[in-house]
Amino acid sequence: MSTRNPMVGALRRTVLEVVGWTLVVVGIALLVLPGPGLLTVFAGILVLSRQYDWARRQLLPIKVRAFAAAREGVRTWPRILSSAFAGLWVMGSGFLFIYPPAVPEWFPLDEQWWFPGGAVAGVSIVVSGMIGLGLLLYSIRRFRYPVSPGVGPDIPAQGTQDA
């Protein structure tokens, strides 16, 4: 017999539910707004997988596709360098929102439309660039230079259970 309080279990399920669905909705919004949309949707599905079988079943195919893309992305040095440049470019563009230059005379719209979103958008963009660079470093370490045998390209085939 469990000594666990049923209220704690209900509260835990409710919190997981609210956090999971919030991450999914915010992630969908971030697909068109500045921010890491796909990662946020994935995080929401990861949280929801604790509650729902349908979410649990979605994790392995997402993981397989993400690892395949990561492995392909670090296959050559030009890909690695272009990804690093893109991450730095994203971060730099975020800093333009945080510290915008003066509005030039040729700008046809009102001043408020020069780098709209301000510091909040800028921080979100910088964080997205940092996440991208972090994922690039992870991919290099995991797939280009595996630390131990069997860590790299061995991703379970679709339909198998992940250990």
Side-chain angles (χ1 to χ4, degrees):
M1 186 162 119
S2 175
T3 60
R4 233 176 139 187
N5 185 344
M7 289 299 291
V8 172
L11 180 63
R12 180 181 173 276
R13 285 190 302 277
T14 303
V15 167
L16 285 174
E17 190 96 22
V18 168
V19 169
W21 284 112
T22 301
L23 285 169
V24 168
V25 170
V26 168
I28 290 170
L30 289 177
L31 292 173
V32 293
L33 297 172
L38 287 176
L39 288 175
T40 308
V41 169
F42 176 73
I45 291 174
L46 185 64
V47 171
L48 290 173
S49 73
R50 308 269 314 219
Q51 297 288 99
Y52 297 109
D53 288 334
W54 64 264
R56 197 172 303 116
R57 287 190 302 267
Q58 296 305 310
L59 289 180
L60 183 61
I62 291 170
K63 182 178 178 180
V64 168
R65 285 187 216 116
F67 280 7
R71 184 174 45 255
E72 192 64 28
V74 295
R75 184 169 291 194
T76 65
W77 278 105
R79 288 180 185 178
I80 293 170
L81 293 175
S82 63
S83 295
F85 176 76
L88 293 172
W89 183 82
V90 167
M91 288 176 63
S93 66
F95 283 114
L96 284 177
F97 281 84
I98 297 170
Y99 306 108
V103 179
E105 289 183 25
W106 56 262
F107 189 68
L109 301 176
D110 190 41
E111 261 185 45
Q112 71 181 3
W113 296 105
W114 180 251
F115 288 100
V120 173
V123 168
S124 176
I125 294 169
V126 169
V127 168
S128 294
M130 292 170 66
I131 290 171
L133 290 174
L135 289 172
L136 177 64
L137 291 173
Y138 171 81
S139 298
I140 290 169
R141 182 178 168 95
R142 171 131 189 189
F143 299 113
R144 190 157 175 94
Y145 303 110
V147 176
S148 61
V151 172
D154 63 330
I155 296 171
Q158 197 145 355
T160 62
Q161 290 296 326
D162 190 23

